[in-house]
Amino acid sequence: NAAVLADAELQFEVDEVKADLLRVGPHRLVHGDRSLEQRMKLMQEYGDEYIGDLLAINLPRKEALEISEKYPTIALANHNAPDQTVVGGIRADIFALQKELVHKGIRVYHVPLDGAYHTGIFEPLRDELTDMFKDLKVDIDWKIPIYDCLTGEPFEHEAEIVRSRLAHQLLAPVEWVKLMNNVFQDGARVFIETGPRAVLTNLHEGI
């Protein structure tokens, strides 16, 4: 076993709060994961009713969104790297955009998830998500910055703000490039990925 003393923690998805922050000692952010489990169930139920998809595009953010704007339901989902943008929308629009980009020789990757997560497609769930997280117990005494993928900034030490951010991350894009730039400006130079693969490590190399 090995221990690492971290200077900051970076959150790519809300479920990482459940996977990492719920169970670790001095840097615990929230206690109990019932709200997160309820959120997942709500996402799945809504996804079954209103199917959407995600498409990773090997283009800078501005170019990817300009090409996508003709498709009414498509919006930014993740800004993962300077040359990788993920968009989400209903399945018909995503498939049409994918066909167009492939025809133009632009590299794309269909993200294997049944839902246009982190887009306005899930806006009808806002009130339910707000209510779901209203009683989440938040520990505001963490000792190191915990960076939020919604804003790219560290979480404020205010319980209501943390609850709101966790509740509404499903509705807003992941600002990973902004987050990584902010962390670097704040002095971080060594990054350790704790997940099973090196997805974020590979993205970081391009930022």
Side-chain angles (χ1 to χ4, degrees):
N1 294 333
V4 176
L5 183 61
D7 293 316
E9 293 187 20
L10 317 181
Q11 181 212 351
F12 187 75
E13 297 279 359
V14 68
D15 288 332
E16 292 178 4
V17 174
K18 176 180 176 181
D20 298 329
L21 304 184
L22 285 173
R23 63 187 180 185
V24 298
H27 309 143
R28 185 163 53 234
L29 174 59
V30 298
H31 299 262
D33 60 357
R34 185 177 178 185
S35 296
L36 296 170
E37 290 176 352
Q38 291 174 334
R39 172 186 178 272
M40 180 61 69
K41 182 179 179 181
L42 182 64
M43 288 164 54
Q44 292 171 341
E45 290 174 350
Y46 187 73
D48 289 341
E49 179 180 347
Y50 193 79
I51 295 296
D53 279 296
L54 296 168
L55 187 70
I57 307 170
N58 277 27
L59 284 176
R61 176 176 182 153
K62 182 179 179 181
E63 293 180 40
L65 295 181
E66 285 176 350
I67 293 176
S68 303
E69 64 183 2
K70 70 181 72 172
Y71 302 97
T73 69
I74 290 182
L76 177 68
N78 297 60
H79 189 205
N80 285 341
D83 61 352
Q84 187 190 91
T85 306
V86 179
V87 297
I90 65 170
R91 183 159 291 173
D93 282 350
I94 289 292
F95 282 2
L97 174 61
Q98 182 175 358
K99 183 178 180 179
E100 176 185 350
L101 294 174
V102 170
H103 180 72
K104 292 180 177 180
I106 298 171
R107 188 177 177 184
V108 299
Y109 170 70
H110 184 260
V111 181
L113 294 172
D114 286 330
Y117 303 119
H118 300 292
T119 74
I121 277 184
F122 284 87
E123 184 63 33
L125 300 183
R126 177 178 290 274
D127 290 343
E128 288 182 78
L129 289 166
T130 300
D131 185 65
M132 191 178 295
F133 279 77
K134 67 181 181 180
D135 296 322
L136 187 69
K137 185 178 180 182
V138 179
D139 180 357
I140 62 172
D141 295 324
W142 61 85
K143 306 303 181 186
I144 63 174
I146 300 175
Y147 286 78
D148 172 25
C149 67
L150 182 67
T151 64
E153 306 282 349
F155 279 104
E156 292 92 338
H157 286 248
E158 296 183 32
E160 284 304 315
I161 292 178
V162 172
R163 291 189 190 98
S164 177
R165 296 268 183 83
L166 294 180
H168 300 144
Q169 281 182 352
L170 180 65
L171 315 177
V174 173
E175 296 286 359
W176 188 247
V177 172
K178 180 179 178 181
L179 184 154
M180 290 300 299
N181 285 331
N182 286 340
V183 172
F184 191 85
Q185 290 175 7
D186 291 343
R189 295 296 183 271
V190 178
F191 300 89
I192 299 174
E193 184 169 2
T194 59
R197 296 180 293 169
V199 175
L200 299 182
T201 300
N202 293 333
L203 292 175
H204 169 66
E205 291 176 354
I207 298 176

